[in-house]
Amino acid sequence: SIPATTVREIRVAQRADGPAAVLAIGTANPPHCVPQGDYPDYYFRVTNSDHLTDLKPTFAKLCGMTGIGRRFFYHTDELLAAHPGMSLDARLDVVATAAPELAASAAASAIAEWGRPAGDITHLVVSTNAGSHAPGTDVRLVYLLGLRHDVLRTVLQLNGCASGCAALRLAKDLAENNRSARVLVACVELTVTAFRAPDEADSFDTLIPQGLFGDGAGAVIVGADPDVHERPLFEMVSASQYVIPDTEHMLAVQLGSGGIDGTIATGLPRLAAGIVERCLLDAFGNHLAVVGGVVEWNNLFWAVHPGSSAMLDHIVRALRLAPGKLAASRTVVREYGNMLGATVIFVLDEVRRQREDPEGEGASHDEDWGVMMGFGPGFTVETMLLHSICLWAEAH
């Protein structure tokens, strides 16, 4: 048998010396864009539902409350017209082709920013709420990106809006426990599997997701112990996940005969606000500066998944945040809508952009520490403590 000392030495040699870090970020959207103000008319027209005259004003009001300015979709008028009453099999076939291509576009941008060959990627983590295929997007990405054929693949499915944070948490563990590992995270979301006509019998539950969600893909390269050619953006210091007891009914996602469906309780923003500070204190309280027994959340930068503008408003009040602290989240939800797991990567990219911009509207440039946060089925809260690598100073 191998002596225990040798096993320990092997274990030490396998692990990285430093923390995992975000090394590059890429995003992508389909070309089809619909302004949110036009969406109620568009939605009722393409679903042949203009006869439901009582529902359209309700839907228009809901769309106006989201804080969304526009959304992007893979499905177009032409696609929907060519497949009336699109079956679940037809929807999944669309996703099987479109999801890898959109994910590859975001990943290619991240790899180009990273500056190293795609063949240097050792691990691949793919997250999606859109499809259900094996082999799926992960295998297609190996070929589309020219990844090596022994890349270690992991797929996360139906983790809802928390899936981007969950994928990055997994990437952090992979990078820190495998010396020289470079992990590509690809989160891709397509709403064609959830797109459906309004239902008079269950109108509100049907309309909420139709007014919120859009299509997009985000990619991140994660690695520890960066070399001289790599430019780390954020160190990934600590991560946590909480499942709030007795909240399974508040947020759920499932694949049924009609496609992807889910439950979004109207009280969700208030619930999230009520527990968010406790989750953060339990996860990071010992790591953060405390004055008079109170953590000053305004001393951090924030990358929060924006489920909607109402969710952000409740979090601002719960954490007593100054105006503009969630500017990155508000920008993303306005420009893209809620893209489920991919959204937090867009927010992280926007945080980076604002911090590199001397005229940026977000957090001030001297905030070295920050929090990334997402919410998902369960009801689950994912958090990660980040340390910025002095982005503004390096850029100027």
Side-chain angles (χ1 to χ4, degrees):
S1 61
I2 301 175
T5 53
T6 303
V7 172
R8 284 196 294 268
E9 290 171 356
I10 293 173
R11 177 67 181 135
V12 169
Q14 287 176 333
R15 301 187 67 182
D17 294 325
V22 172
L23 301 177
I25 305 172
T27 61
N29 297 95
H32 182 215
C33 177
V34 181
Q36 187 78 338
D38 298 341
Y39 194 77
D41 287 337
Y42 168 82
Y43 172 65
F44 277 77
R45 175 175 58 80
V46 298
T47 58
N48 299 313
S49 303
D50 280 325
H51 61 286
L52 301 177
T53 55
D54 292 340
L55 284 183
K56 188 184 288 188
T58 300
F59 187 56
K61 183 178 179 181
L62 188 154
C63 287
M65 294 170 58
T66 60
I68 296 170
R70 61 178 185 172
R71 286 181 287 160
F72 294 83
F73 302 100
Y74 179 81
H75 54 274
T76 61
D77 302 45
E78 294 76 17
L79 177 65
L80 295 172
H83 299 85
M86 191 182 295
S87 68
L88 177 57
D89 285 346
R91 293 164 185 253
L92 292 175
D93 285 345
V94 169
V95 171
T97 299
E101 293 174 351
L102 189 60
S105 179
S109 294
I111 291 169
E113 178 185 305
W114 178 41
R116 287 176 55 177
D120 287 352
I121 292 169
T122 59
H123 297 71
L124 173 63
V125 178
V126 171
S127 172
T128 186
N129 292 276
S132 183
H133 287 84
T137 296
D138 58 321
V139 173
R140 287 293 301 139
L141 281 177
V142 172
Y143 297 102
L144 289 172
L145 297 172
L147 305 182
R148 56 206 236 188
H149 293 283
D150 63 347
V151 66
L152 298 173
R153 298 173 287 111
T154 303
V155 179
L156 304 178
Q157 291 183 299
L158 296 186
N159 281 258
C161 293
S163 57
C165 290
L168 289 169
R169 170 172 52 80
L170 176 58
K172 165 183 161 59
D173 289 344
L174 290 171
E176 291 177 349
N177 284 282
N178 296 274
R179 184 179 291 273
S180 301
R182 291 298 179 264
V183 186
L184 171 60
V185 172
C187 298
V188 58
E189 305 293 359
L190 298 174
T191 56
V192 66
T193 48
F195 187 80
R196 57 179 54 83
D199 183 345
E200 285 185 283
D202 192 20
S203 59
F204 200 72
D205 286 343
T206 301
L207 292 177
I208 289 177
Q210 302 303 323
L212 276 178
F213 298 116
D215 297 355
V220 176
I221 302 210
V222 175
D225 305 333
D227 64 29
V228 295
H229 303 293
E230 294 174 316
R231 178 175 176 253
L233 305 174
F234 303 98
E235 291 176 318
M236 308 164 85
V237 180
S238 180
S240 71
Q241 182 193 75
Y242 287 85
V243 177
I244 311 306
D246 303 319
T247 59
E248 294 92 336
H249 63 288
M250 300 293 288
L251 184 62
V253 182
Q254 59 269 343
L255 177 62
S257 59
I260 299 293
D261 199 1
T263 300
I264 306 175
T266 55
L268 198 59
R270 191 177 301 276
L271 170 68
I275 51 85
V276 64
E277 186 166 30
R278 182 74 265 157
C279 289
L280 291 170
L281 287 172
D282 288 348
F284 309 132
N286 292 334
H287 301 311
L288 301 173
V290 179
V291 179
V294 177
V295 174
E296 180 46 70
W297 302 115
N298 281 295
N299 290 339
L300 307 174
F301 64 85
W302 292 86
V304 178
H305 171 85
S308 66
S309 59
M311 177 75 82
L312 298 177
D313 291 341
H314 277 81
I315 291 174
V316 164
R317 288 193 290 271
L319 298 179
R320 304 166 297 280
L321 296 177
K325 295 300 294 185
L326 300 187
S329 298
R330 294 190 188 279
T331 295
V332 169
V333 77
R334 181 178 67 246
E335 295 298 319
Y336 304 99
N338 184 339
M339 299 168 287
L340 291 106
T343 318
V344 77
I345 296 177
F346 280 70
V347 175
L348 200 61
D349 195 31
E350 181 64 17
V351 168
R352 179 261 294 268
R353 188 194 67 77
Q354 291 181 2
R355 290 176 63 81
E356 290 180 341
D357 181 1
E359 306 298 327
E361 62 175 322
S364 62
H365 305 298
D366 58 355
E367 293 163 345
D368 294 334
W369 294 87
V371 171
M372 180 178 68
M373 183 183 305
F375 308 96
F379 177 69
T380 300
V381 181
E382 290 269 0
T383 60
M384 184 177 290
L385 184 62
L386 302 173
H387 182 249
S388 173
I389 315 296
C390 211
L391 296 172
W392 184 85
E394 288 187 7
H396 298 83

